Every structure is written in C-alpha cells, then in structure tokens.
Amino acid sequence: MWNSWSSRHDSRLEQRRICGLLNKLNVTNFDSVATRLIERLTNCRRRGGVETIEAFADSIALRAVEDTRRSSLYAYLCRRVDRELEMEDRRWTWLNDGTRQSSHPSFASILADACESRFTQALDERAAHLFPLVEFIGDLLLDGVLPIADVQDLVHQLFTLAEQGQEGSAIALSRLCRRVAGEQEGVYILEQLGASGSIERVLEEDIITPKARYLLMAVVDLFHRELVDVFDSAGLRNEIYNLDDDEQEVSSELDSTASTDVGDSLPSKTTTCESEDQAEVF
C-alpha cells in the first residue's frame, strides 16, 4: 500500500513554503497560519525532514531578534509547534512493549541549539542582536518551551563576562531577568538559574561600570519586592477573622496603658504653659 510518508521530501521547497507562511504571521491570523505551519512541519517530521525543522527553528530565532515586536508571538508559536510535534512523536514512536524509540530530536532541543548558535554569534560578531535574543529566550522559558537546564550554560556565560567588566553582558542579564520576572512564575525560574546569587557576586566586583551596577541593583530589587494582592482578599480576610477589631482592641489597650503609666511619660507643652501662667498670677 502506498504511503504519503514514502514520497520524496523536497526540503528547499518546504522551507520556502514555511518561510512564506511566517511572512504572513500576525496577531489576527495567528491560529490559521500556525495550524498550516504545524501541518507542514508534522509532514516533514514524518518524512524525516529534520533539516527543514532545523531551518524553521533558526528562522524563528532570527526573526525574533530582527522583529522584536513579535518576539512573544514567535515564542507562543514555538510552544504550539513543540506541543504538536511532541504529540506526533508519542503517537508513532511507542512500541508494543511500552518503550519509546525515536530517532528524531525534539523540537525544543533543536530550538535550543538554534538559540545557542545565535547567542554565540551575537557575542562574537553581532552584539546588537544579544539583547533581543535574551528577551526571546526569556519568553521561551516562560512558555515552557526551553527547559531551564538548556539555558543554564548561556546564562552562566553572561555572568562570567559581566564579572569581567563587560557592560553589554550585564545589560543582557538585566533584560533577561526583567523579561522573566514580569510573570508570576518568573522569580522561580530566575532562582533556578541562580540569578540572585550570581548578580550579587557581580556587584562585588569593582571593575563593573556604574550603568551595569545600577541595572543589576534594580534586578536585585525584583527578588525582594512585596507581593500585590491582585484579588483584594485582604479586606475579606480581615472581615472573616475580625482582624480590624483585634487591631482596635490592641491599640486601645496600648493607649490605656500609656495613660496610666504617668511616671515614664514626658510633660506636655500644655502642662508647662499652664504652670508658667500660674506662676505669673501668683
């Protein structure tokens, strides 16, 4: 029986088609374009066209750097692609005995390699690409596409260079941390990356520039900021447990104690003035 998977895969033609779909991607048509992209990438996966998926991942990383306004959109697209290709692998690579056998690397690992390649290139040649790239990596961390372990080495390189006084690496760290810390689970991700302790070690160095020190100190504040009660549950909680009444009772007890303890209280201005007036009368 003939199977479409056995047909010859033209990687160049598929790459051009995928590139054309990426050119059309925007917020309004995201669902339809993403569905068509996933269908093509899934067919490439079935036919063994790993090079097409690698080209797609590299193209996404490059577009996120050059088109920063769509960085979050590209990260969400990667999340959809990673999930669908993972489901495809699960459908077709489980054997009868329950073990899994797949010769294809996961999309997350392919994307991690593409980001690492762009990261190395940005450090060596294109410093201007470093800042938007780390922000894109932050979006991928928040969307759960890239595991924390896959980003650990990149972040460690930035900290090492920042300790050596490279201002650009310190700025990149600031942008990465701010991008990630903006979400609820962001602080946990940064803690897993060891960002807090590493930043403090960088701040101990005397060779870092004032600008780098200022930005990193602002990042440290993100780890110690107070939580905001977005659900306004404090008022309801006080009403249920009568916390306001307890506070009033405590304050009234303190006031009564202060009024009875005359020996330790300072004389008031009124008392002093009254005594002076009485002295003048006599």
Side-chain angles (χ1 to χ4, degrees):
M1 179 178 178
W2 179 83
N3 194 330
S4 61
W5 298 0
S6 62
S7 60
R8 185 176 180 180
H9 175 71
D10 190 344
S11 61
R12 291 185 179 180
L13 179 60
E14 284 298 325
Q15 291 177 24
R16 287 198 297 269
R17 291 173 176 173
I18 290 174
C19 182
L21 289 173
L22 283 175
N23 291 336
K24 299 177 182 178
L25 184 68
N26 54 49
V27 177
T28 56
N29 65 3
F30 177 82
D31 289 332
S32 60
V33 174
T35 300
R36 294 170 63 185
L37 279 169
I38 291 172
E39 290 176 353
R40 292 200 170 276
L41 292 172
T42 301
N43 290 332
C44 293
R45 188 77 151 194
R46 293 172 179 173
R47 299 174 184 177
V50 180
E51 66 278 1
T52 301
I53 300 178
E54 292 175 347
F56 168 76
D58 184 69
S59 177
I60 283 289
L62 179 60
R63 287 170 183 266
V65 168
E66 295 181 345
D67 189 3
T68 56
R69 293 177 300 176
R70 300 186 184 182
S71 176
S72 300
L73 189 67
Y74 290 135
Y76 187 67
L77 174 63
C78 291
R79 177 183 178 183
R80 287 274 303 269
V81 171
D82 181 60
R83 182 178 59 186
E84 293 297 330
L85 292 184
E86 179 69 17
M87 292 175 61
E88 179 70 13
D89 286 346
R90 291 181 179 180
R91 282 193 291 264
W92 299 105
T93 60
W94 285 93
L95 302 179
N96 294 330
D97 59 356
T99 59
R100 187 178 183 184
Q101 181 179 353
S102 176
S103 58
H104 302 304
S106 65
F107 176 73
S109 63
I110 294 176
L111 183 60
D113 292 340
C115 291
E116 183 176 0
S117 177
R118 292 287 176 183
F119 178 83
T120 303
Q121 186 178 7
L123 288 179
D124 297 338
E125 303 174 5
R126 300 182 178 181
H129 286 184
L130 180 60
F131 303 151
L133 179 60
V134 296
E135 291 179 342
F136 177 61
I137 293 175
D139 291 333
L140 295 175
L141 284 171
L142 290 172
D143 287 335
V145 181
L146 292 184
I148 296 177
D150 290 350
V151 185
Q152 195 82 49
D153 292 339
L154 304 184
V155 176
H156 179 71
Q157 290 184 52
L158 289 177
F159 277 118
T160 301
L161 294 174
E163 289 180 5
Q164 297 173 0
Q166 293 194 13
E167 185 180 85
S169 298
I171 297 175
L173 284 170
S174 172
R175 292 203 177 189
L176 173 63
C177 294
R178 287 183 173 277
R179 191 66 160 237
V180 175
E183 300 297 331
Q184 184 176 2
E185 69 278 11
V187 175
Y188 170 77
I189 294 176
L190 293 177
E191 290 292 351
Q192 293 298 310
L193 290 172
S196 179
S198 299
I199 289 177
E200 291 179 357
R201 287 195 299 271
V202 174
L203 291 174
E204 293 176 355
E205 300 293 334
D206 296 332
I207 59 176
I208 63 175
T209 63
K211 180 179 180 180
R213 186 178 300 276
Y214 172 79
L215 292 174
L216 293 180
M217 289 181 65
V219 173
V220 173
D221 293 338
L222 297 176
F223 293 96
H224 305 288
R225 63 184 179 183
E226 297 181 357
L227 297 178
V228 179
D229 188 6
V230 295
F231 297 104
D232 195 19
S233 60
L236 181 60
R237 185 169 58 253
N238 293 339
E239 181 180 354
I240 293 174
Y241 295 103
N242 296 322
L243 297 180
D244 292 336
D245 296 337
D246 294 339
E247 291 177 357
Q248 292 177 0
E249 292 178 0
V250 171
S251 61
S252 61
E253 291 178 358
L254 293 175
D255 294 339
S256 61
T257 304
S259 60
T260 55
D261 192 3
V262 180
D264 295 335
S265 61
L266 295 175
S268 63
K269 292 183 178 180
T270 305
T271 305
T272 306
C273 293
E274 289 177 352
S275 61
E276 292 177 355
D277 294 340
Q278 292 176 356
E280 291 178 359
V281 171
F282 289 106

